[in-house]
Amino acid sequence: MPEPLTHADWLAGVPVLLAETAALWDLTLGAAYPPGAAGHAVRAELPDGTPAVLKLAHPHRESLQEADALERWDGDGAVRLLARDDDRNALLLERCEPGTFLSHSAGALDVLIGLLPRLWKSGAGFATLESEAEIWAADVTREVQDATLRDAALHYLRELPSTQGEQVLVHQDLHGENVLAAHREPWLVIDPKPLAAEREFSVAPIVRSFEFGHSKAAALYRLDRLTAELDLDRDRALGWTVAQTVAWSGGSDYWDVHIDTVRWLLEDA
C-alpha cells in the first residue's frame, strides 16, 4: 500500500490540480484565500461570470465526506456545492460575499441557535462519532501528558459514545470563522467536517470558539444558552466539549486557549 501523501507533497501538486480543475469546469481563477490548515481555496468565476470558490483539500478522514454533507444540506444554512471531483478532492462552491466571519458579529449565538437545527439532517451514511471517539481515545492515551486532562477526556470518551441519542448530521468544526456573511442568506456555514452524532456534540466547537470571548464566564454562557435554547442535555454537551477539545488540541497552535476552556468546564462539571 502506498504511503499517504504528506501535506507538503500535496501542496507541491496544488498548481497542477488548480489547472486541471479550472479546465474541467471552464473556470477563470482569481486570487487565493489565506491558506487553511489542510486546504487551498481560490476565487473563481463560472463561464457566465457567476462568482464561485474552487477548493482543493488535502485528503484526511475528517474532511473526506465534506461534499456529501454539503449535498445533504443543499444550501439550507450552508454554502451550496456546485460541483465535485472526488479524484482530485476538489469542490466548486458558492461564493459568500462579503464573507465576513461570524466571530465579528455581536449576535453570533443568535445566528448559531438558528442555524444548528437546520444542519441536523439525517446522519445516515456518514462516519460515526462512536468510531471517531475510539481514534480520539487512542490519541489521548498516547499523546496527552497531563493526567487530569487525559483522565477527564478518556472518561467521557468511554461513557458517552454508546449512550447517544438520535444520530444526526453534525459539523464538528463549527467555530466562529466557519460561518460567513453572504447575499443569499445573511450567514452560511462552510468547511464541514461531518459526523453522524447526537445533537449535544454539535455545540462543542462553539463552546471552545474563543473568538466569541475567552473567559470562564463567556464559555459557560455559550454552553448554557446553546443547551437551554436548543433543548439539549447540558452535561453531555459539556462532556463532548471536553473530550473533543483535548483530543483535537494536541499539536495545535491554540492548545493553551483551548485547554483553558477545558479546565473551566471541568471546574463546573
Side-chain angles (χ1 to χ4, degrees), residues 12-13 22 44 57 60 62 75 79 83 89-90 96 101 108 116 155 161 181 190 196 199 205 210 244-245 250 260 268:
H60 188 278
E62 291 169 357
V79 66
N89 293 295
C96 294
F101 294 140
L116 276 171
H155 165 74
I190 65 167
R199 292 169 175 82
F210 57 86
Q244 191 201 29
T245 302
D260 283 345
D268 192 69

Side-chain angles (χ1 to χ4, degrees), residues 125-172:
F126 287 90
T128 66
L129 177 54
E130 188 165 6
S131 63
E132 193 71 8
E134 293 180 4
I135 298 172
W136 295 342
D139 290 345
V140 168
T141 300
R142 182 176 60 252
E143 298 172 4
V144 178
Q145 302 302 311
D146 185 302
T148 300
L149 298 175
R150 182 179 63 246
D151 292 350
L154 290 175
H155 165 74
Y156 288 121
L157 288 169
R158 293 187 188 108
E159 296 295 322
L160 295 176
S162 64
T163 57
Q164 293 179 78
E166 182 188 12
Q167 311 273 297
V168 296
L169 175 57
V170 303
H171 185 326
Q172 63 172 321

Side-chain angles (χ1 to χ4, degrees), residues 206-229:
I206 303 168
V207 174
R208 70 165 170 269
S209 189
F210 57 86
E211 302 95 338
F212 298 136
H214 186 61
S215 68
K216 181 177 181 178
L220 292 178
Y221 174 73
R222 293 194 290 275
L223 176 67
D224 290 339
R225 269 205 68 190
L226 289 162
T227 54
E229 296 189 33

Side-chain angles (χ1 to χ4, degrees), residues 171-212:
H171 185 326
Q172 63 172 321
D173 197 25
L174 191 60
H175 57 72
E177 297 186 357
N178 273 343
V179 185
L180 303 182
H183 287 318
R184 180 170 60 82
E185 292 195 24
W187 299 98
L188 292 172
V189 169
I190 65 167
D191 289 348
K193 292 181 172 60
L195 283 177
E198 66 176 345
R199 292 169 175 82
E200 280 76 5
F201 175 77
S202 60
V203 310
I206 303 168
V207 174
R208 70 165 170 269
S209 189
F210 57 86
E211 302 95 338
F212 298 136

